[in-house]
Each structure stands twice: as structure tokens, then as C-alpha cells.
Amino acid sequence: MTGDLQFDAQGRLRHFLTIEGLSRQTILEILDTAESFMTVGQRAIKKVPLLRGKTVVNLFFESSTRTRTTFEIAAKRLSADVINITPGISSTTKGETLLDTVQSLTAMHTDLFVVRHSLSGAAHLIAGHVPPHVHIINAGDGAHAHPTQAMLDVFTIRRYKKSFENLRVAIVGDILNSRVARSLIHALSILGVPEVRVIAPQTLMPTAIEKLGVHPYNDMHGGLEGADVVMMLRLQRERMRGALIPSEQEYFNLYGLTPDKLKAAKKDAIVMHPGPMNRGLEIDSTVADGPQSVILAQITNGIAVRMAIMALIMGGRKESAARKRRA
Ligand code: NCD
């Protein structure tokens, strides 16, 4: 699955499907644009007119709280109209195919689809079949990618750590089934973060993960040592076939982030989690609610980052102007 489909003939970003294939400049441009949107949420009237008259469709075939809601808020803060399609009560339950559902919705002159699906490649499939004026954002496809989550994660890291140079980032937990980990690893690598570690029991570690340029660890102490950023992941039990962990208690004992284990990281390390959290399984409440946790900031930041991505792919002008300036 390549990211080529993301760009139009002029090389402008048209869809947002995967982090792979994005340039460092594009990623930084999104982060800078998001920074400029951060104050919109604090205004008395939380709106800018950028997407006025546009219709955004949230098409979520998998459950979601944070991602779906922050996309809806982001679109509304850009003055777009937003429709939420809930597959449980739509025609997909009557056997309609994914592409027929999308085709029916594009016949209503909609402009942007935010798609979450349990099948890897679902957003790419849709992007390959929509008319040229329609945009697609991948809000998570199977275990493959979750590119807007990666963008809000690197945005949060930059806000707390100021730059990506000299950083040691540790990603902990169910690496095998995590689309969040995969997209984040790509983003950190494009941004030039010098050291990315992944920590997991061998059963949750993808084979040949080193090929992505990360350092694998099976133990928390070694992996967390000197880390600036600790990203915890949820155990994706819905994607596990068979028992990949001995017992929840043993998993928590070995890999659950407790204040004691966190001591191995730097004193000023930040703790992140994309949510939803399993307290007492991958993270202890004392850490989740503690002074090093930026978990709620990630959610707030997600709105500005999603606003920036929507504005960039639908505005077009910004990116081409930036390209001209660089040329
Ligand atoms: C993640 C997801 O859905 O991939 N959550 C999110 O988007 N906030 C991670 C997860 O489900 O564990």
C-alpha cells in the first residue's frame, strides 16, 4: 500500500491516508498550521470560516470516541457541515458494499470523508474510487495505519520537547497489532528522531521490526532507560487471535507502566497514550493521572491537528503556495 494515491497530478496533498511518502516539509507545515489553530478553541466564538459551505462525512465502521468526536469538532470549527454515518443503522446492514455507500454519499455533493474501518486498506480503496473533488482522510484502517493520530502525537511531542533532535522515544505494548505504533514510527523517522525503541513481549513484537529503524526491547527497564517520551499502547484484544499474553496480571507486572518502572526514564519524560486506556493493565492510574502524563493534552491537540489536515488537503492553495515559495 503506497501513499502515491495521496497526491494529485500537481503533487499536492489531496487525501491523507498514510504517513509513508509524506515529506518532512509537509509534516512540519501541518504542525505549524495546527499551532496556529490552537487558539481557536479558546475563543468566545470557536470558529474560522475556512471550510464554510463544505460537507464532511464521518464514516466510522469501528467504534471510536476521541477520533470521531475530535474530527467532528475540528470540521465544525472550520465552519463545515458535518454528517455522522453510523453503520449499525445505515444501509450497510442491508448488504450494501462500502463503495456503494460512498458513491451514494458523493451523489449528495459531499466533499470530505473521514473513514475508519477494521480492514487494512479501506480508506485507500475508497480514495481510488471517488471523483477528483472528493477528499479522504484515513482515521484508522485495521492494524495498518492511523496517520492523524501520529500527527497529533508528534505535535504533542514537539510542544513539550521543543524539537525532535536528540530525542529518545519508547513505544510500549502491543506493537504487533497497533496501527498507532506503525504510523508513529514512520512520522518519527521522517522527522529525524535519532532513537526510537519499541518494548513488548516477543509474542507482541512484529518480526523484523528493526527494518523500520527502531530498537526492540523485551524488558521495560532496559527499554525505558533515559527515555524522553514514553508512548503506551492499548492491548488490542479485538485483533488478537489466541492468547498472546500469559495473564493480565503478569502482563501488568512486566509491562504495565507504574511509577517505579517510569523511574528508568528521564525525570522530565512525558507519558502518552492514544486512548482508550486500560487502567491497571497497560498503565497504572497513578501514572495516567500523574504530573508526567500528557494524555489529555493529546486529545485537545488532536482537534487543531485535524483542523490543519482538513484545511491543507481541501484548501490546496496553502500547499502549492508553500511549494512555490520553496522553488
Ligand atoms: C487508537 C485506535 O483506534 O487505533 N485509538 C484512538 O484512535 N484514539 C488506539 C486503540 O484503539 O488502542
Side-chain angles (χ1 to χ4, degrees), residues 62-67 116 139-140 142 145-146 149 178-180 233-236 238-239 273-276 306:
E62 240 190 23
S63 52
S64 171
T65 308
R66 278 149 276 263
T67 307
R116 169 170 287 196
H146 194 350
Q149 177 71 42
S178 175
R179 55 194 177 201
V180 173
L233 300 172
R234 183 177 64 89
L235 280 177
Q236 311 264 309
E238 72 277 19
R239 295 196 217 291
H273 193 305
R306 289 178 170 127

Side-chain angles (χ1 to χ4, degrees), residues 110-184:
T110 49
D111 303 286
L112 167 69
F113 289 88
V114 180
V115 181
R116 169 170 287 196
H117 203 286
S118 58
L119 290 178
S120 296
H124 285 72
L125 176 75
I126 295 172
H129 287 85
V130 287
H133 65 275
V134 174
H135 306 268
I136 308 296
I137 295 180
N138 182 6
D141 62 326
H144 172 240
H146 194 350
T148 64
Q149 177 71 42
M151 291 303 303
L152 79 86
D153 291 336
V154 294
F155 180 83
T156 305
I157 293 173
R158 189 172 78 164
R159 281 211 127 202
Y160 286 92
K161 296 289 155 197
K162 305 301 172 219
S163 95
F164 296 107
E165 285 160 33
N166 307 318
L167 280 189
R168 180 177 286 171
V169 178
I171 309 173
V172 186
D174 187 358
I175 311 290
L176 182 68
N177 296 295
S178 175
R179 55 194 177 201
V180 173
R182 230 172 298 281
S183 289
L184 180 59

Side-chain angles (χ1 to χ4, degrees), residues 22-30 32 190-191 319 326:
L22 296 183
S23 68
R24 186 166 183 273
Q25 261 135 340
T26 299
I27 292 184
L28 291 175
E29 190 178 343
I30 292 169
D32 292 343
I190 294 169
L191 288 166
E319 167 79 335
R326 283 196 295 276

Side-chain angles (χ1 to χ4, degrees), residues 211-275:
K211 288 205 177 123
L212 293 181
V214 300
H215 306 279
Y217 287 78
N218 292 132
D219 75 296
M220 282 289 260
H221 191 82
L224 289 183
E225 203 164 5
D228 300 280
V229 176
V230 182
M231 170 71 145
M232 300 306 298
L233 300 172
R234 183 177 64 89
L235 280 177
Q236 311 264 309
R237 280 174 288 196
E238 72 277 19
R239 295 196 217 291
M240 289 183 193
R241 285 189 204 97
L244 295 179
I245 55 167
S247 78
E248 295 194 345
Q249 190 56 50
E250 193 169 338
Y251 183 83
F252 180 71
N253 291 344
L254 291 172
Y255 296 99
L257 189 63
T258 56
D260 196 46
K261 291 201 195 84
L262 185 57
K263 280 186 195 142
K266 285 205 184 131
K267 263 202 176 68
D268 64 348
I270 54 168
V271 174
M272 304 172 67
H273 193 305

